[in-house]
Amino acid sequence: MTYEIEIGRGKRGRRAYSLDDIAIVPNRRTRDPKDVSVSWQIDAYKFDTPVIAAPMDSVMSPDTAIAFGRLGGLGVLDLEGLWTRYEDPQKVLDEIADLADETNSPAVTRRMQDLYQAPIQPELISSRLAEIRAAGVTVAGSLTPQRTQEHYKTVVAAGVDIFVIRGTTVSAEHVSKNHEPLNLKQFIYELDVPVIVGGAAGYTPALHLMRTGAAGVLVGFGGGATTTTRRALGIHSPMASAISDVAAARRDYMDESGGRYVHVIADGGMGSSGDIVKAIAMGADAVMLGSALARAEEAPGRGWHWGPEAHHLESPRGDRVNVGTVGPLEEVLFGPGHHTNGTSNLIGALRRSMATTGYSDLKEFQRVDVVVSPYAGN
């Protein structure tokens, strides 16, 4: 059932809700937070926390991916980022952090475009992934759909455990008159590793992605704190409604496929612990975080955060933003928290919210009661 609103005489639209527009309602007996499980599993890989670190240069380096893996999460390295373009990217990261202290600066954008012009080196893809593998944590790397055909053999040969295909919007079938597009269904079928793919922001595109054989579908457009896609392209999908729509596609695909479960991963626009809680309440199995982890002391961006949209050559639609530094990565995830705004002890807050509402695991918590409560600024 859908409820459309008349925008004008010539157009109707469905009302959609952001995470700020909903609230969780406790209607069950409370529990002890220590009795709550926040673990989840995708394919053969089990994780202590339902958090995937976004493949952004300001968030993940090989070292931070290793540290994040040891803390129970899944770190995804951007295989089109600085770590696969430069033998020693630290100087480049330092230069980006030291650029003019302003947002929406053409000079900053131009310099970042120049820095990301260096070619991707396949041997660096192999060595970076090998470094993560040697540490004994789950290895994950990300490519955009445009670069997947070019580099996926190198990625798989390097021993990646989970392959992420991430773009602003990814469809199961791309139409082009200029080149042969990536056939996701054939590609995923031929791979021997689980694939997480997205973003998708609605029921139909998510259902199509699930039919390709993907193990997980990313919901949203990614880069929530840094993207300017809404201003530049007029495209936006409020996350609460998007997650709910894709969770419905997961349910219907289970019936269609005879029980195959595809994981729903909320991606973008979750800068605080409350956002993470509400994303799972709306049906997400896990969340992919960028800005929330860019605030860690170990983050390569040194308190600055940017996504691949920020240095797109033809149509940059992202900013480099100053998110600041909260504390060590372990404190950001597990506390003890010293910030009242939901930027530290993210997992502790999730546990407490689940306990307060009376749920003992993530799948149960997806059934929690929610209400529409438009954001009032607190």
Side-chain angles (χ1 to χ4, degrees), residues 330-342:
E330 186 169 4
E331 182 180 313
V332 170
L333 289 172
F334 303 112
H338 305 292
H339 302 78
T340 59
N341 58 357

Side-chain angles (χ1 to χ4, degrees), residues 198-234:
Y203 175 93
T204 300
L207 186 59
H208 290 167
L209 289 177
M210 291 172 186
R211 288 170 177 162
T212 67
V217 171
L218 299 171
V219 184
F221 295 109
T226 63
T227 184
T228 60
T229 299
R230 182 174 186 170
R231 298 199 302 269
L233 302 184

Side-chain angles (χ1 to χ4, degrees), residues 101-159:
D101 188 2
E102 56 185 292
T103 301
N104 192 24
S105 164
V108 169
T109 300
R110 188 177 300 112
R111 182 54 183 155
M112 291 184 68
Q113 289 171 323
D114 291 341
L115 292 170
Y116 277 89
Q117 276 288 82
I120 297 171
Q121 302 178 47
E123 62 273 17
L124 288 179
I125 293 179
S126 300
S127 65
R128 303 307 187 197
L129 293 176
E131 184 179 345
I132 299 172
R133 173 165 292 283
V137 300
T138 304
V139 184
S142 175
L143 292 171
T144 60
Q146 295 83 358
R147 298 272 193 171
T148 295
Q149 290 280 31
E150 182 181 356
H151 296 295
Y152 84 91
K153 290 182 180 178
T154 302
V155 176
V156 174

Side-chain angles (χ1 to χ4, degrees), residues 319-347:
D319 291 327
R320 183 199 62 144
V321 298
N322 192 343
V323 296
T325 299
V326 167
L329 183 59
E330 186 169 4
E331 182 180 313
V332 170
L333 289 172
F334 303 112
H338 305 292
H339 302 78
T340 59
N341 58 357
T343 58
S344 63
N345 197 11
L346 304 178
I347 302 305

